[in-house]
Amino acid sequence: QVQLVESGGGVVQAGGSLSVSCAASRYNTSNYCMAWFRQAPGKEREGVARINSMGATAYADSVEGRFSISRDNAKNTLNLQMNSLKPEDTAMYYCAARTSTTCLAFLTSAYTYWGQGTQVTVSS
């Protein structure tokens, strides 16, 4: 079992930056695919960024060039650095883990573990 806890959410002005983090209850998750998803009220949950066991990353087109995902396997933490934030980035951000070394798509059903989410609000 793996428990994920997000932190770092808050309110930021458009154009600003914010970083959210995810801590895992286990430290042997280096071979997991990790990802960030987000969901705004009334909208579908969408993938934002993912990182595989080798550190390879992938981003949604909407955040490419603005967001950066990273992981610290020694600390079992996941981070999402968000820059040049836009009001449309406002959502609940969720950390997710897949018990696989690969993660080739943003599919909510493919992820076994989820955090409770942290709210990110971008004001205009």
Side-chain angles (χ1 to χ4, degrees):
Q1 291 292 112
V2 177
Q3 291 187 328
L4 304 174
V5 180
E6 302 95 336
S7 63
V11 180
V12 63
Q13 292 184 320
S17 298
L18 192 67
S19 179
V20 291
S21 299
C22 171
S25 61
R26 298 177 65 183
Y27 51 78
N28 60 340
T29 58
S30 61
N31 61 335
Y32 287 10
C33 170
M34 304 293 293
W36 285 98
F37 287 76
R38 67 185 182 187
Q39 186 170 25
K43 296 184 178 180
E44 297 180 355
R45 186 170 298 187
E46 62 176 352
V48 176
R50 61 181 187 262
I51 183 168
N52 70 9
S53 62
M54 298 299 294
T57 60
Y59 300 90
D61 290 342
S62 60
V63 306
E64 181 72 47
R66 299 189 297 119
F67 290 11
S68 179
I69 187 172
S70 61
R71 67 194 300 170
D72 186 333
N73 291 329
K75 297 180 179 179
N76 249 28
T77 57
L78 181 73
N79 183 76
L80 183 68
Q81 177 65 48
M82 301 177 285
N83 300 317
S84 301
L85 284 163
K86 305 174 181 179
E88 49 263 45
D89 293 320
T90 295
M92 185 74 75
Y93 283 71
Y94 297 91
C95 173
R98 169 178 163 83
T99 54
S100 173
T101 58
T102 60
C103 42
L104 304 178
F106 290 119
L107 297 173
T108 58
S109 61
Y111 291 82
T112 304
Y113 304 104
W114 293 84
Q116 82 288 351
T118 186
Q119 180 67 40
V120 173
T121 301
V122 183
S123 61
S124 60

